[in-house]
Amino acid sequence: MEPETFDVVVIGAGPAGENVAGRCAEGGLSVAIVERELIGGECSYWGCMPSKVLIRPGDVLAAAQRVPGTASAITGVDAAATFALRDRFTGNWDDTGSLPWLTDRGIGVVRGIGRLTSERTVDVESAAGDVRRLVARRAVVVATGTAASIPPIPGLADARPWDNRDITAAKDVPRRLLVLGGGAIGLEMAQAFRRLGAEEVAVVEVAPRLVAREEPFAGDEIRVALEAEGIAIHTGVTVTEVRRDAAGAVSVFLGDGSELVGDELLVAAGRRPSTGDLGLETVGLEPGRFVEVDDQLRATSIEGGWLYAIGDCNGRSLLTHMGKYQARIAADVILGKQAAAVADHGIVPRVTFTDPQVCAVGLTEAQARAAGIEVRVVKYATGAVAGASVLGDNFAGSSQLVIDDDRRVIVGATFVGPSVQELLHSATIAIVGDVPLDRLWHAVPSFPTVSEVWLRLLEAYGL
């Protein structure tokens, strides 16, 4: 087999892989990118984009219902039209429209299953069984992402559960939906499908509260909102068994002796790295595990620094925007620049797109205290500013800053409220820049906007 040689070979054409390939190509390197499924990856077809399309109509409906002048005009969400829009966003799961972004940059697109076979060498097996050998002069970049994890609960695997791919590609709304997992994916889809017309929705979370990695008040406030919409919440419980009967109904048996029955069961209980069929064993790494990397995104146990892993598959931060960030860092390193990933270490912005949303960046109060930081926390009702009242009644949620009191800088921020995601980047900038509070005091929020909550939080600190 005659090898084909490139400067860089990328395995995985999701957002992280596309971005590292594009940046390297724009820097003058020859690049090949390998994809076994669809160009654009999980985010474009089964994750971020289709899920937000499914969420959006319910958010618009809820926003209108909060305004007395429009509430009476609301008739409901059109599920069929929503699914049709979702299909348009995903190109009906056809990636033809995604190819020009790569090919216009001179990137070679290779379809098939890419596997490492030796140092700097990737064999790609096509659907027909043909094999192409790609050799990288500078770097091989692994960007294969993650897949849904199915917990080892008795009967679960045989009950034909849905994962994120199944629910974001659903053609109909089940009458009764059960959800295992009270994190972002589970809660977003539970609320979206309730608003799309599911008559019964129940969420089961083994942790004592929802969005357990965020501030406790965030989980409490989401719970209140979801229960007000008729979604049943079960926290702090275990699942002992799952069964699907001959008629298609699925039963979830809980450790407290109760039973939940639904028509479909979504499992949103974590992710596993898609590294099991990647040939990692040929270069001394363990298949099926996250690839450990340094701050230049190089695999730590590979001599010569030729192997990189970016995005979800390295386990540092399982978020699309962080994968794209890592792609930029890795590309710069490959191009010979001085670069290192900084945001991975405690400055990760994240949004749970429920209503109200949970938008957070940096450390929680508990994380900051565990890190030995002398913390002061200030909190204010997000809806108590004039800008929120203009947007409608019952603007729920709280905002909080976690402040390093010795250095007088913000190390963590959480905003809970309807559609408050655009508040998050200002907090990210303040934390990344170590902006002193005395200086931040002069960043005047416009009136009347929800961003005035920044002023109230700084006032609560004593400025």
Side-chain angles (χ1 to χ4, degrees):
M1 173 191 325
E2 187 67 26
E4 304 170 58
T5 303
F6 299 84
D7 292 319
V8 181
V9 176
V10 181
I11 308 176
E18 287 180 311
N19 275 270
V20 72
R23 198 170 178 91
C24 284
E26 289 168 355
L29 301 182
S30 61
V31 182
I33 192 165
V34 180
E35 177 54 54
R36 66 176 65 194
E37 292 187 296
L38 296 175
I39 304 298
E42 195 82 11
C43 177
S44 297
Y45 301 98
W46 304 284
C48 319
M49 297 309 295
S51 68
K52 302 314 169 284
V53 173
L54 295 174
I55 289 167
R56 180 60 178 162
D59 278 353
V60 173
L61 177 71
Q65 287 174 330
R66 281 190 282 267
V67 179
T70 57
S72 61
I74 301 303
T75 58
V77 172
D78 185 334
T82 300
F83 289 142
L85 180 60
R86 182 270 321 273
D87 293 348
R88 180 159 64 84
F89 263 74
T90 60
N92 283 296
W93 292 274
D94 183 318
D95 63 5
T96 304
S98 300
L99 287 172
W101 194 93
L102 296 169
T103 56
D104 289 352
R105 289 167 170 77
I107 298 166
V109 177
V110 183
R111 302 279 190 174
I113 301 172
R115 300 183 181 95
L116 290 160
T117 54
S118 61
E119 182 176 330
R120 303 175 192 268
T121 303
V122 177
D123 282 2
V124 185
E125 181 182 359
S126 72
D130 302 321
V131 177
R132 293 172 63 178
R133 177 159 291 172
L134 311 179
V135 176
R137 297 185 190 93
R138 292 199 185 188
V140 173
V141 183
V142 175
T144 50
T146 57
S149 178
I150 304 298
I153 297 169
L156 178 57
D158 295 329
R160 304 188 305 278
W162 279 2
D163 61 16
N164 67 290
R165 290 191 169 200
D166 296 301
I167 196 161
T168 55
K171 300 298 184 183
D172 299 292
V173 178
R175 188 178 72 82
R176 301 171 298 177
L177 175 65
L178 304 179
V179 178
L180 297 187
I185 295 173
L187 298 183
E188 288 174 3
M189 292 298 93
Q191 188 176 47
F193 273 73
R194 173 63 173 159
R195 290 174 167 184
L196 285 167
E199 294 177 18
E200 299 177 19
V201 178
V203 176
V204 178
E205 170 56 53
V206 65
R209 56 186 172 83
L210 303 178
V211 286
R213 296 183 181 181
E214 302 297 351
E215 297 286 5
F217 75 85
D220 294 341
E221 292 179 354
I222 287 183
R223 180 172 190 149
V224 169
L226 295 182
E227 289 180 335
E229 294 188 23
I231 298 172
I233 305 294
H234 305 266
T235 54
V237 294
T238 57
V239 178
T240 59
E241 186 182 3
V242 177
R243 294 184 208 152
R244 190 182 286 272
D245 65 24
V250 59
S251 294
V252 173
F253 298 90
L254 304 182
D256 60 8
S258 60
E259 176 187 356
L260 304 175
V261 180
D263 299 302
E264 297 295 349
L265 169 63
L266 168 64
V267 178
R271 308 286 294 177
R272 56 179 175 81
S274 297
T275 58
D277 186 23
L278 194 56
L280 291 179
E281 66 279 2
T282 67
V283 295
L285 298 179
E286 186 175 348
R289 299 182 66 86
F290 291 111
V291 180
E292 185 177 342
V293 296
D294 60 20
D295 286 344
Q296 282 70 46
L297 287 312
R298 293 189 183 100
T300 55
S301 59
I302 299 296
E303 292 185 10
W306 58 271
L307 183 64
Y308 295 72
I310 59 174
D312 285 12
C313 70
N314 65 30
R316 286 166 70 113
S317 181
L318 309 189
L319 294 164
T320 295
H321 47 279
M322 295 305 295
K324 293 165 73 172
Y325 165 74
Q326 292 173 5
R328 296 190 293 271
I329 299 296
D332 286 350
V333 173
I334 293 166
L335 288 165
K337 302 176 183 179
Q338 294 294 318
V342 174
D344 293 13
H345 302 293
I347 322 175
V348 176
R350 51 210 184 265
V351 180
T352 299
F353 288 89
T354 46
D355 180 18
Q357 293 177 347
V358 175
C359 309
V361 62
L363 305 177
T364 64
E365 178 183 357
Q367 290 169 338
R369 293 192 188 281
I373 299 172
E374 187 66 33
V375 165
R376 185 170 167 196
V377 175
V378 293
K379 191 173 177 183
Y380 196 82
T382 315
V385 296
S389 64
V390 171
L391 296 179
D393 298 335
N394 303 314
F395 192 101
S398 303
S399 294
Q400 176 180 289
L401 299 180
V402 179
I403 296 167
D404 181 333
D405 213 22
D406 291 335
R407 296 192 300 135
R408 290 173 67 84
V409 296
I410 299 167
V411 295
T414 299
F415 304 96
V416 179
S419 299
V420 294
Q421 71 270 25
E422 301 302 341
L423 285 176
L424 190 58
H425 197 54
S426 53
T428 304
I429 292 170
I431 295 172
V432 170
D434 278 334
V435 181
L437 295 183
D438 292 331
R439 185 65 177 172
L440 197 59
W441 176 247
H442 298 286
V444 182
S446 54
F447 182 89
T449 64
V450 181
S451 62
E452 193 183 17
V453 74
W454 271 99
L455 172 61
R456 303 305 173 211
L457 288 165
L458 294 177
E459 287 176 335
Y461 183 76
L463 294 176

